[in-house]
């Protein structure tokens, strides 16, 4: 079954690793406009890398936001067309002081690469590229038609991607999407992702006055923006994490017994997470298991808060401004637009007195599920079973891949996930890492899966 | 009644203003260790200025924290000894973007000096110094014995000052303290301060895990430090600003009808503040007037809050740490130690689950009232009535002068206030300013008051 491409991959791993490091060194932080040129530099790097692999029609396409990189190889007549999706943008690296090494200068320790975006997803991005290079260099052709599509706004909710897809529907038409922004479990326990949560995000700004006040003069007389914000935020969740926004759960799909059983296959995951991250007790609605809450229940989290004096020592001030960033994870059949409306209504209802509260930066993406009987899903499961020698489990993820539901809507294609990330690799957090063993293993999985997809 | 000192003051105003500007340019921010050398530079500047005025025994005394400047003139045999108190440290200047000009480069507009510490209290600090210089240069002597005591930690709760006073009780013994860190109303409506609130301050730190988490993976499973902090903070006040800490009001002195009447004299103050600061509605316990709440009721305010991602765009993270700075203003007969205990009990009672909550930087100072029949108080009232031609009103302030109760305890002396600050001058806030008309008027008030104190 393994052909020459396997030897090619083995022989070129040192070079692939150097390329991985080159890409990691580009701080392509899409959230911060100060890094826009780095996002573009990462796009250019990826485009050049595709060309080097033998991919054709490589081009940078503008979106209005950060650019997209496209490339294809379309000479497998009569075979399906697969669109491979990923992103070259990364999360901010803050808090910098919690990193053991420079987030943008990768280091290897114990077979792991430590850097921002090591696992999310610059390692994964290279997997299908080097797989196609190996196939082209050894077989002289790819088994199926391939289109690559890498974006630069995944970490900010893929906000330009919807209109981009609409505008390039013909170019991107395909039979199947593979998202490389993912993992397929461990070598001992392979998994396939069959669902992700959606997300709704927003920033709340509270303004109580034109300027800060001395807390001696104004205390007892003037409103305090932090207290007003705290009251609004505290009104959104009860002490068990249940969301108190009216109607928030109305569209939530109730789990079937079969779904509960499938989720329970992963009940060890929250325990491992707790140990890894170092929190002491699980948190969330007590009538669900931690794993059910983690993948099949919606959440609402304050991701950041700030207002008033944050420096050393004290400052006796009544702050006139306070801010919070919030995201909610959504599950079938919640709709982001509906959640946005409920969120806005809630904030309005809990805004007391004549305080100015504004909501900005609202965006959302729906949850997504792969149909259980999808034929490509079965092929992916067979490949992973062959490669690892273990039966594959189907898994829903708690995170979001905003584009999955977009691909379904615009291209009519389902999205499968094939990547090398594992759950303990600290995506979005300090000391993010990626296992080199995944880097080599999943390159092979890509070659095998593309070959499998060529079969009837 | 005015003697040569009056002419001396008039002739030297330009120089005094230059000196004021010199002192304002020193960023003596006591809260931030990065500015410790600037606090010391301000101390040295003040010491040199005292010597120039003819004050003797000028010395810098160490406190363990920022230093103190002492100087005296003790040749008025048989006359009372007056200790003049002030501070040369300043509040941080943040948020810098709200300043119209550099906070440490004073500018004059419309007869006002704009700079950090213009009104709190580098202008006021110079008043008694130039007054003594004028008296010594023209009369050759001071009418009473004078001790100057300027500290560098007032803006951080005078935390070393208590043990400093205990250690220097003999050096500082006196019959009366005058605090220059204050105001005496306007030219049209002179006031004397007869009370200040106390203060209790603390920082709350919440830690839920060893590292931040991806909100997709941990949402529904892990606790969020910001939500835990928000819940604790929201539990401390109801929506009217009434403090919900058990026992917090137990020691609060209930206002007499006479006290209510005295407070009502200043009912225009909250309206002016509201217009000046730009908030829309008064905030606080509805059963008290805004002015009663502002000077005779305790408060609790979050002065600053931070946690998670605060940069541009979004970051889908569950933060493992969150922090808040808090101050409470205290009124007779509340005791800071008791409030500290109640505060700690409240935080503990509202700390849910196995989350680490720590309280740090706790310190406090009791409230203070001048006895209504104090003879020096009557003399100060007479001086202000003569100087302005208007009857003087007695006024309680909402702010705190931590040292007043200390002077009473350690030196057995009452503290009167004589300074040039007015309520609208934005102490602790951006675009702080000080009126040049106060600068000249209160210099004269000092000369007159010292002469008055020499009389039987």
């Amino acid at each position: 079954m393994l052909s020459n491409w396997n030897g090619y991959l083995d022989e070129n791993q040192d070079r692939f690793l150097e390329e991985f490091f080159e890409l990691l060194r580009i701080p392509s932080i899409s959230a911060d406009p100060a890094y826009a040129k780095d996002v573009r530099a990462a796009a250019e790097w990826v485009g050049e890398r595709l060309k080097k692999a033998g991919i054709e029609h490589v081009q940078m396409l503008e979106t209005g936001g950060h650019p997209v990189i496209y490339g294809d190889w379309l000479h497998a007549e009569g075979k399906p067309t697969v669109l491979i999706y990923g992103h070259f943008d990364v999360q901010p690296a803050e808090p910098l002081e919690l990193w053991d090494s420079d987030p943008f200068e990768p280091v290897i320790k114990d077979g792991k690469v430590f850097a921002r975006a090591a696992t999310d997803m610059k390692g994964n991005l290279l997997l299908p590229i080097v797989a196609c290079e190996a196939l082209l260099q050894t077989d002289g052709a790819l088994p199926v038609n391939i289109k690559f599509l890498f974006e630069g706004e995944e970490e900010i909710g893929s906000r330009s991607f919807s209109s981009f897809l609409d505008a390039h529907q013909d170019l991107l038409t395909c039979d199947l999407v593979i998202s490389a922004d993912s993992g397929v479990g461990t070598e001992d326990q392979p998994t396939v992702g069959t669902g992700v949560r959606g997300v709704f995000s927003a920033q709340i700004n509270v303004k109580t006055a034109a300027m800060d006040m001395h807390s001696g003069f104004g205390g007892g007389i003037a409103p305090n923006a932090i207290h007003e914000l705290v009251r609004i935020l505290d009104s959104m969740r009860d002490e068990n994490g249940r969301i108190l926004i009216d109607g928030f759960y109305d569209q939530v799909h109730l789990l079937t017994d079969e779904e509960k059983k499938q989720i329970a296959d992963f009940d060890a995951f929250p325990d491992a997470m707790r140990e890894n991250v170092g929190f002491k007790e699980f948190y969330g609605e007590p009538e669900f298991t931690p794993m059910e809450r983690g993948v099949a229940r919606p959440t609402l989290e304050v991701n950041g808060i700030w207002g008033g004096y944050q420096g050393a020592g004290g400052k006796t001030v009544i702050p006139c401004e306070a801010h919070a960033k919030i995201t909610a994870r959504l599950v079938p059949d919640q709709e982001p637009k509906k959640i946005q409306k409920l969120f806005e209504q809630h904030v309005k209802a809990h805004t007391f007195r004549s305080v100015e509260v504004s909501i900005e930066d609202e965006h959302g993406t729906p949850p997504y599920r792969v149909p259980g009987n999808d034929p490509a899903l079965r092929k992916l499961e067979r490949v992973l079973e062959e490669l690892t020698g273990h039966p594959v489990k189907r898994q829903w993820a708690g995170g979001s891949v905003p584009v999955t539901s977009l691909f379904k809507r615009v291209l009519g294609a389902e999205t499968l996930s094939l990547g090398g990330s594992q759950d303990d690799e600290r995506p979005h957090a300090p000391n993010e890492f990626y296992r080199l063993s995944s880097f080599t293993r999943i390159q092979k999985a890509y070659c095998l899966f593309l070959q499998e997809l060529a079969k009837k």
Side-chain angles (χ1 to χ4, degrees), chain A:
Chain A
M1 179 193 78
L2 303 181
S3 72
N4 285 338
W5 55 258
N6 196 36
Y8 183 90
L9 288 175
D10 287 345
E11 280 159 27
N12 287 281
Q13 280 311 313
D14 286 353
R15 173 166 61 86
F16 297 158
L17 190 61
E18 276 168 36
E19 290 167 344
F20 182 18
F21 274 37
E22 271 181 37
L23 182 55
L24 287 170
R25 289 192 186 104
I26 305 172
S28 45
I29 302 164
S30 50
D32 190 340
Y35 292 88
K37 70 174 194 320
D38 300 292
V39 177
R40 199 161 281 263
E44 279 164 8
W45 190 96
V46 170
E48 290 307 310
R49 187 62 191 84
L50 285 171
K51 285 183 204 164
K52 201 158 114 187
I55 302 304
E56 302 169 351
H57 309 116
V58 173
Q59 51 201 291
M60 186 181 292
L61 299 168
E62 296 301 330
T63 67
H66 299 296
V68 153
I69 289 292
Y70 172 87
D72 61 34
W73 190 97
L74 303 174
H75 308 294
E77 210 173 320
K79 300 293 180 185
T81 299
V82 177
L83 185 140
I84 296 176
Y85 164 82
H87 64 91
F88 46 80
D89 64 322
V90 310
Q91 283 278 317
E94 286 85 359
L96 296 176
E97 67 277 13
L98 296 186
W99 284 82
D100 293 335
S101 58
D102 186 334
F104 296 106
E105 186 49 59
V107 293
I108 298 181
K109 271 188 290 190
D110 303 329
K112 298 163 181 169
V113 176
F114 288 82
R116 168 53 79 236
T119 190
D120 182 14
M121 62 155 281
K122 286 179 173 174
N124 290 339
L125 181 146
L126 283 169
L127 303 174
I129 301 177
V130 304
C132 286
E133 177 180 305
L135 289 164
L136 285 167
Q137 289 290 325
T138 53
D139 297 349
L142 298 180
V144 292
N145 300 295
I146 294 282
K147 296 178 177 181
F148 280 101
L149 185 63
F150 294 117
E151 66 154 322
E153 299 190 332
E154 197 276 339
E155 299 295 2
I156 51 173
S158 297
R159 53 181 76 161
S160 307
F161 208 64
S162 174
S163 55
F164 173 83
L165 286 189
D166 285 333
H168 296 83
Q169 206 172 340
D170 291 343
L171 179 71
L172 302 173
T173 183
C174 62
D175 302 297
L176 174 71
V177 177
I178 303 176
S179 167
D181 186 16
S182 60
V184 285
T186 65
E187 198 153 5
D188 294 337
Q189 180 49 71
T191 59
V192 291
T194 54
V196 291
R197 290 195 282 196
V199 69
F200 164 73
S201 58
Q203 177 170 322
I204 301 182
N205 306 306
V206 174
K207 191 164 172 65
T208 49
M211 64 186 87
D212 288 350
M213 298 186 71
H214 188 299
S215 74
F217 292 8
I221 297 179
N224 177 321
I226 295 178
H227 282 278
E228 297 303 311
L229 177 62
V230 155
R231 185 176 302 118
I232 291 169
L233 296 177
D234 196 29
S235 74
M236 289 186 178
R237 295 196 347 187
D238 73 10
E239 66 180 74
N240 289 317
R242 193 171 171 86
I243 298 151
L244 302 175
I245 294 173
D246 267 358
F248 193 88
Y249 291 96
D250 284 357
Q251 294 180 296
V252 171
H253 164 77
L254 293 178
L255 292 172
T256 65
D257 286 346
E258 193 187 347
E259 287 167 335
K260 285 188 176 196
K261 200 168 154 291
Q262 184 191 303
I263 291 171
D265 273 346
F266 296 91
D267 273 349
F269 169 74
D271 288 304
M273 171 187 284
R274 186 173 59 172
E275 196 152 321
N276 183 39
V277 175
F279 60 94
K280 288 180 189 153
E281 265 187 64
F282 292 121
Y283 184 87
E285 301 164 286
E287 64 272 36
F288 296 92
T289 68
M291 197 60 203
E292 284 167 0
R293 298 193 304 255
V295 299
R297 295 291 295 173
T299 68
L300 183 144
E301 303 280 349
V302 180
N303 307 118
I305 191 167
W306 69 103
Y309 184 67
Q310 307 175 28
K315 187 177 180 200
T316 50
V317 74
I318 300 181
C320 69
E321 285 187 24
H323 310 270
K325 289 179 193 283
I326 292 173
T327 49
R329 298 282 168 176
L330 310 181
V331 297
D333 301 309
Q334 288 179 299
E335 298 160 37
K337 282 286 171 208
K338 180 142 192 197
I339 294 298
Q340 174 171 340
K341 199 173 156 197
L342 298 174
F343 178 83
E344 289 170 358
Q345 284 169 352
H346 182 92
V347 171
K348 197 167 176 192
H350 289 78
T351 298
F352 295 118
R353 304 169 187 286
S354 44
V355 162
E356 280 174 50
V357 177
S358 65
I359 302 176
E360 65 176 59
D361 267 351
E362 287 177 292
H363 42 94
T365 186
Y368 174 73
R369 296 275 190 262
V370 183
N373 58 357
D374 185 82
L377 174 61
R378 279 299 304 135
K379 290 182 177 182
L380 178 58
E381 288 173 329
R382 272 204 300 278
V383 163
L384 293 173
E385 277 167 4
E386 259 182 75
L387 192 66
T388 64
H390 295 283
V392 170
K393 289 179 174 169
R394 293 182 176 186
Q395 183 175 28
W396 289 345
S400 307
V401 185
V403 294
T404 47
S405 48
L406 275 181
F407 288 133
K408 180 75 179 172
R409 178 178 67 75
V410 180
L411 307 178
E414 302 295 346
T415 300
L416 295 178
S417 293
L418 181 54
S421 297
Q422 293 186 28
D423 298 327
D424 61 354
E425 295 178 336
R426 303 182 194 134
H428 296 205
N431 300 318
E432 176 177 353
F433 69 91
Y434 189 64
R435 287 178 172 80
L436 286 175
S437 55
S438 312
F439 190 55
T440 50
R441 185 169 76 255
I442 308 303
Q443 292 167 18
K444 295 177 188 178
Y446 262 100
C447 291
L448 292 169
F449 186 40
L450 295 183
Q451 288 178 328
E452 196 70 19
L453 287 172
K455 297 175 190 167
K456 277 284 169 211

Short mmCIF file of all heavy atoms in Angstrom, two decimals, chain A residues 101 158 164 187 241 247 292-293 373 385 393 416:
data_model
loop_
_atom_site.label_atom_id
_atom_site.label_comp_id
_atom_site.label_asym_id
_atom_site.label_seq_id
_atom_site.Cartn_x
_atom_site.Cartn_y
_atom_site.Cartn_z
N SER A 101 9.70 30.28 26.36
CA SER A 101 10.61 30.72 25.30
C SER A 101 9.84 31.66 24.39
O SER A 101 8.61 31.78 24.48
CB SER A 101 11.15 29.52 24.51
OG SER A 101 10.08 28.77 23.96
N SER A 158 -13.06 34.29 10.87
CA SER A 158 -13.17 34.16 9.41
C SER A 158 -14.17 35.17 8.85
O SER A 158 -15.04 34.86 8.05
CB SER A 158 -13.62 32.74 9.04
OG SER A 158 -12.66 31.79 9.44
N PHE A 164 -16.10 36.12 0.62
CA PHE A 164 -15.07 35.61 -0.28
C PHE A 164 -15.56 34.34 -0.99
O PHE A 164 -15.43 34.20 -2.21
CB PHE A 164 -13.78 35.33 0.49
CG PHE A 164 -12.73 34.65 -0.34
CD1 PHE A 164 -11.91 35.39 -1.18
CD2 PHE A 164 -12.60 33.26 -0.31
CE1 PHE A 164 -10.95 34.76 -1.97
CE2 PHE A 164 -11.65 32.63 -1.11
CZ PHE A 164 -10.83 33.38 -1.94
N GLU A 187 -1.97 8.16 18.40
CA GLU A 187 -1.61 6.96 17.66
C GLU A 187 -2.36 5.75 18.24
O GLU A 187 -2.75 4.84 17.50
CB GLU A 187 -0.09 6.73 17.74
CG GLU A 187 0.40 5.80 16.67
CD GLU A 187 1.87 6.05 16.31
OE1 GLU A 187 2.51 6.89 16.95
OE2 GLU A 187 2.35 5.39 15.37
N GLY A 241 -22.60 28.19 35.76
CA GLY A 241 -22.24 28.41 34.37
C GLY A 241 -23.43 28.33 33.44
O GLY A 241 -23.28 28.42 32.23
N GLY A 247 -34.10 32.78 26.51
CA GLY A 247 -34.24 32.12 25.22
C GLY A 247 -32.97 31.50 24.69
O GLY A 247 -32.96 30.90 23.60
N GLU A 292 -20.13 16.18 27.87
CA GLU A 292 -21.34 16.66 27.19
C GLU A 292 -21.36 18.18 27.14
O GLU A 292 -21.67 18.79 26.11
CB GLU A 292 -22.59 16.14 27.92
CG GLU A 292 -22.88 14.65 27.64
CD GLU A 292 -23.92 14.07 28.60
OE1 GLU A 292 -24.41 14.80 29.49
OE2 GLU A 292 -24.22 12.88 28.47
N ARG A 293 -21.01 18.79 28.28
CA ARG A 293 -20.98 20.25 28.32
C ARG A 293 -19.92 20.80 27.36
O ARG A 293 -20.08 21.87 26.78
CB ARG A 293 -20.67 20.75 29.74
CG ARG A 293 -21.71 20.36 30.76
CD ARG A 293 -21.54 21.12 32.06
NE ARG A 293 -20.23 21.00 32.65
CZ ARG A 293 -19.95 20.26 33.72
NH1 ARG A 293 -20.90 19.55 34.32
NH2 ARG A 293 -18.73 20.24 34.21
N ASN A 373 -23.52 8.99 7.77
CA ASN A 373 -23.40 8.01 6.68
C ASN A 373 -22.57 8.52 5.49
O ASN A 373 -22.64 7.98 4.40
CB ASN A 373 -24.80 7.61 6.20
CG ASN A 373 -25.59 8.86 5.74
OD1 ASN A 373 -25.09 9.98 5.83
ND2 ASN A 373 -26.80 8.64 5.24
N GLU A 385 -7.57 3.61 10.63
CA GLU A 385 -7.51 2.28 11.24
C GLU A 385 -6.32 1.48 10.69
O GLU A 385 -5.60 0.83 11.45
CB GLU A 385 -8.83 1.53 11.01
CG GLU A 385 -9.90 1.94 12.03
CD GLU A 385 -11.31 1.49 11.69
OE1 GLU A 385 -11.49 0.79 10.67
OE2 GLU A 385 -12.23 1.87 12.44
N LYS A 393 -12.72 6.24 16.68
CA LYS A 393 -13.94 6.76 17.30
C LYS A 393 -14.34 8.09 16.68
O LYS A 393 -13.48 8.90 16.35
CB LYS A 393 -13.72 6.94 18.81
CG LYS A 393 -13.63 5.62 19.56
CD LYS A 393 -13.39 5.84 21.03
CE LYS A 393 -13.47 4.50 21.77
NZ LYS A 393 -12.99 4.63 23.16
N LEU A 416 -14.53 17.20 6.14
CA LEU A 416 -13.89 16.26 7.06
C LEU A 416 -12.62 16.91 7.60
O LEU A 416 -12.06 17.82 6.98
CB LEU A 416 -13.54 14.95 6.34
CG LEU A 416 -14.75 14.15 5.86
CD1 LEU A 416 -14.29 12.89 5.13
CD2 LEU A 416 -15.65 13.78 7.04
#
